[in-house]
Amino acid sequence: MPYTRGMSWRRTNVALFVALALAFATGVGAVATGSARGRWIVIGHGVAAVLVVLLIPWKTRVVRGGLRRARPTRWLSLLLAALAVTAVTFGFGYATGLVRSVGPVTGIWVHVAAALSLVPLLLWHVLARRARPRRGDLSRRTLLRAGVLTAVAAAVYATVDGTVRLAGLPGARRRFTGSFEEGSFRPDAMPVTIWLDDDVPFVDAEQWRLSIVDGAGAYQLSSDQLSTSRATLRATLDCTSGWYAHQDWTGVPVATLLRDRTGARSLYVHSVTGYGIRFPVEEVDRLFLATGAGGAPLSPGHGYPARLVAPDRRGFWWVKWVDRIELQPVPPWWQPPFPVT
């Protein structure tokens, strides 16, 4: 039944689903992007989030009508709504800098956890409240409404962002990725962040060897041999946990360790923990294997005796405790979009 004002329940649900889908897709992109070229993805994520908020008044009417029907599954729908509100609240809270953490957990991870948790519930909700496409869905009026609503969302996002900066809120100092500065040029002050289930391993420098495999075969370097190189690279580590730090890294360019790249399509970088990630071979010249930072050797938590420095890549690409680099004919996309361990 159409409302006397605004959209019907059906169009409200479709619009909200599209807004949530856009927010999720751009959120994944925002986590992955590390270069300024990807700034538009982060902006798109913010606009999609505002769009979700703008649709709440219409969705509230739908929810009230659904609760009156007393469906057995209404609690799942309410849980979905609660997770969506949590994701939006902590997203804006972290972006403004007003909610940086909840106890030991950063606000950005609460935001991410809520967003990931609502995905299966959202899919269930869509299937359970399935709406068949209609000819009017792509009418000029519908497209015009969608365009106006998106433009309003973009204007609200720009206003909020401008207000944060004019008011001098902590969020005004965040990087384009949304991360806050922590420990720049002070390696000891950088947080020790580890991807998912890894722990800081004990690495015996006397026994550790870096294995290098390229088109000319395999060879190894000891810690002492690797540390003889004193090249320096200034690069920004931007962690998906919501912090970034500029550092002067000392070590050796990865390209100088590879003798022959013939037939290679990717460079696989492996950690003593079993963690590994694959880079396009075209990026080899930009990669750096660091043995120190800020004029001191790496600490165990930051990858001693060697870690990868991958400029313009987010932190999960910066493999710690590297024990092998290997050129392979495998395409670089042959891996999960995000490491699973």
Side-chain angles (χ1 to χ4, degrees):
M1 179 176 66
Y3 301 126
T4 55
R5 292 182 181 179
M7 297 183 288
S8 69
W9 68 268
R10 181 177 170 280
R11 288 179 178 170
T12 296
N13 285 342
V14 170
L16 188 57
F17 172 74
V18 171
L20 287 171
L22 287 173
F24 182 81
T26 53
V28 171
V31 170
T33 186
S35 68
R37 295 190 304 272
R39 186 189 302 267
W40 67 269
I41 300 176
V42 182
I43 294 174
H45 183 60
V47 172
V50 174
L51 192 56
V52 171
V53 174
L54 292 178
L55 288 167
I56 288 177
W58 285 290
K59 183 59 179 178
T60 301
R61 296 183 180 184
V62 178
V63 171
R64 287 203 302 264
L67 290 177
R68 285 196 293 268
R69 299 178 188 177
R71 291 190 179 101
T73 58
R74 66 184 181 277
W75 301 112
L76 289 176
S77 298
L78 290 173
L79 177 58
L80 171 60
L83 288 171
V85 170
T86 301
V88 170
T89 300
F90 279 92
F92 280 109
Y94 197 82
T96 58
L98 297 176
V99 185
R100 292 284 299 276
S101 63
V102 181
V105 182
T106 61
I108 192 66
W109 277 117
V110 177
H111 168 70
V112 171
L116 292 176
S117 299
L118 70 80
V119 171
L121 287 174
L122 179 61
L123 294 176
W124 161 79
H125 191 77
V126 170
L127 294 174
R129 310 285 191 272
R130 192 175 304 175
R132 295 181 179 179
R134 295 179 182 176
R135 183 176 300 177
D137 289 345
L138 294 178
S139 68
R140 183 178 299 177
R141 177 178 295 181
T142 300
L143 294 177
L144 180 61
R145 284 180 176 175
V148 170
L149 197 59
T150 302
V152 171
V156 171
Y157 173 81
T159 301
V160 171
D161 186 65
T163 301
V164 167
R165 298 183 187 283
L166 288 174
L169 295 177
R173 299 188 296 273
R174 70 191 189 280
R175 199 166 182 249
F176 69 89
T177 57
S179 297
F180 291 83
E181 188 277 328
E182 201 165 344
S184 286
F185 305 114
R186 295 176 296 124
D188 291 342
M190 284 197 308
V192 175
T193 306
I194 305 173
W195 185 258
L196 298 182
D197 59 349
D198 279 349
D199 293 317
V200 177
F202 170 75
V203 180
D204 185 344
E206 296 295 325
Q207 299 296 323
W208 176 88
R209 294 293 184 272
L210 174 67
S211 297
I212 303 162
V213 182
D214 58 14
Y219 72 102
Q220 293 185 333
L221 292 174
S222 67
S223 177
D224 289 339
Q225 289 172 314
L226 192 63
S227 61
T228 57
S229 176
R230 303 299 295 174
T232 302
L233 176 68
R234 178 168 292 183
T236 301
L237 172 56
D238 192 329
C239 183
T240 53
S241 292
W243 61 270
Y244 75 91
H246 308 300
Q247 299 294 348
D248 289 325
W249 305 91
T250 54
V252 55
V254 170
T256 64
L257 301 175
L258 301 171
R259 301 160 298 178
D260 184 3
R261 306 183 196 179
T262 304
R265 298 181 63 186
S266 63
L267 178 75
Y268 183 69
V269 183
H270 184 268
S271 168
V272 299
T273 65
Y275 184 94
I277 207 159
R278 192 181 303 280
F279 292 83
V281 73
E282 293 80 12
E283 289 190 22
V284 164
D285 292 331
R286 303 178 66 247
L287 302 179
F288 192 83
L289 195 64
T291 56
L298 294 172
S299 67
H302 289 302
Y304 175 85
R307 76 169 302 163
L308 191 70
V309 173
D312 294 333
R313 293 276 194 175
R314 297 302 293 275
F316 62 87
W317 292 87
W318 294 46
V319 183
K320 298 180 184 180
W321 313 293
V322 176
D323 66 352
R324 186 172 87 250
I325 59 174
E326 181 176 349
L327 287 173
Q328 297 181 350
V330 180
W333 48 262
W334 188 250
Q335 62 184 337
F338 297 101
V340 294
T341 184

